Amino acid sequence: MNTQATTAAPINSSMRWVRWANLAFMLYLLLLAVSMVGTGFKWSVGEQAKTLFEFASHPVAGLMIGLVATALIQSSSTVTSIIVGLVAGGLPVETAIPMIMGANIGTTVTNTLVSLGHVRCKEEFRRAFASATIHDFFNLLAVIIFLPLEMMFGILEKISHWLVSPMLNAGDMSIKSFNFIKPITKPVVSAIKEPLATFGDTAGGLIMIGLGITIIFIAITVMGKLMKSLMVGRAREILKNAIGRGPIHGIASGSVVTILVQSSSTTTSLMVPLVGTGVLKVREVYPFTLGANIGTCITALLAATAVTGEFAVFALQIALVHLAFNLMATIFIFGIPVLRELPLKGAFYIADMATKNKAVVAGYLAAVFVALPATILALTA
């Protein structure tokens, strides 16, 4: 028995080391893929970047593109990393800001599906569905407040511009402190670009963008799975310890857990069964949800470190827009008692409706993630 126990320990620890090595490789793939999207975008459209994205130049259309893309992929991290890559290739920051806002809303379909696991018990389902949709209502309220402000005054653009201005003032458009990324990504990007050049600039660039987006999707999915296997136990421990310690502790813990598991969908989905079974209250998990919003910004910031060249500073700027938006929304909405209650009221109102008629769940998902975006995109087109 003892021999088996002693041999089991090294196997487990060696497996952990293999997972950490895989995680490091996936992080490298993410950085490489973002660099590929930026290079491909610059290569295929060059100076015509603004023309190509004229269909998204209306802020509300941009918002809907971000929402639909995230609802389809179910990962705001993936969508924001792709947006960072596009900004690195010349997509204007002001066009990308509403897309970042939309990505925040689209990530919450998973929670709603998880809540259906409690559908047999009315009271459990009511609590679980309210817990799943509070994220939606908070993000929708944040967009309703901040998108008009952004359209009128450019608040997020100005704040993020101020944060990156030291780099602009230095006259060097690349991010000096992150230059160690360039030597490990540029040779690979160049090696991929060479055979694609035979397809011509536009086709070659589009193929590279497609490859980059595919690799981002794979890297973030695998990173999420590896982080879950390495960290979910620890994440759940943080979750338990943070209960009842007040909203600030809750927001901080939600951020830490999301950074650990690399997915706000995972963090918020972990809470749905806990609320459904009555272990936690919806009001208690509300701050965790806000923390998850903040924690998910780490991927875009990491992605921005892969960017070099003239648009590098703007790639970092759009990643900082994501962080500033989530921080400001949390401080503003959660800090004002009247606004703080609105997502809770919305979540409980729709949960009551869904308890009476399960078709409300399908109607809600179809309205927020399909009908609304399609109508707005059609009108703005």
Side-chain angles (χ1 to χ4, degrees), residues 26 29-31 33-34 37 69-79 81-82 209-225 262 299:
M26 286 302 140
L29 276 187
L30 172 68
L31 298 174
V34 170
V37 171
T70 312
L72 289 172
I73 296 171
Q74 268 311 284
S75 169
S76 59
S77 304
T78 305
V79 175
S81 298
I82 292 165
I209 291 170
L211 282 171
I213 289 171
T214 308
I215 295 168
I216 287 172
F217 186 65
I218 293 165
I220 288 179
T221 307
V222 177
M223 273 170 78
K225 284 180 181 170
Q262 277 290 292
T299 316

Side-chain angles (χ1 to χ4, degrees), residues 45-62:
V45 295
E47 291 305 306
Q48 299 158 324
K50 284 183 182 172
T51 321
L52 184 71
F53 272 87
E54 256 170 18
F55 74 96
S57 61
H58 192 286
V60 181

Side-chain angles (χ1 to χ4, degrees), residues 260-311:
L260 289 177
V261 297
Q262 277 290 292
S263 165
S264 59
S265 299
T266 304
T267 310
T268 49
S269 298
L270 274 173
M271 296 175 209
V272 174
L274 294 172
V275 176
T277 51
V279 176
L280 297 176
K281 292 185 175 75
V282 176
R283 196 174 284 276
E284 285 176 327
V285 300
Y286 184 13
F288 282 103
T289 303
L290 311 190
N293 261 3
I294 296 163
T296 199
C297 300
I298 189 76
T299 316
L301 287 164
L302 275 172
T305 66
V307 180
T308 51
E310 58 176 326
F311 297 117

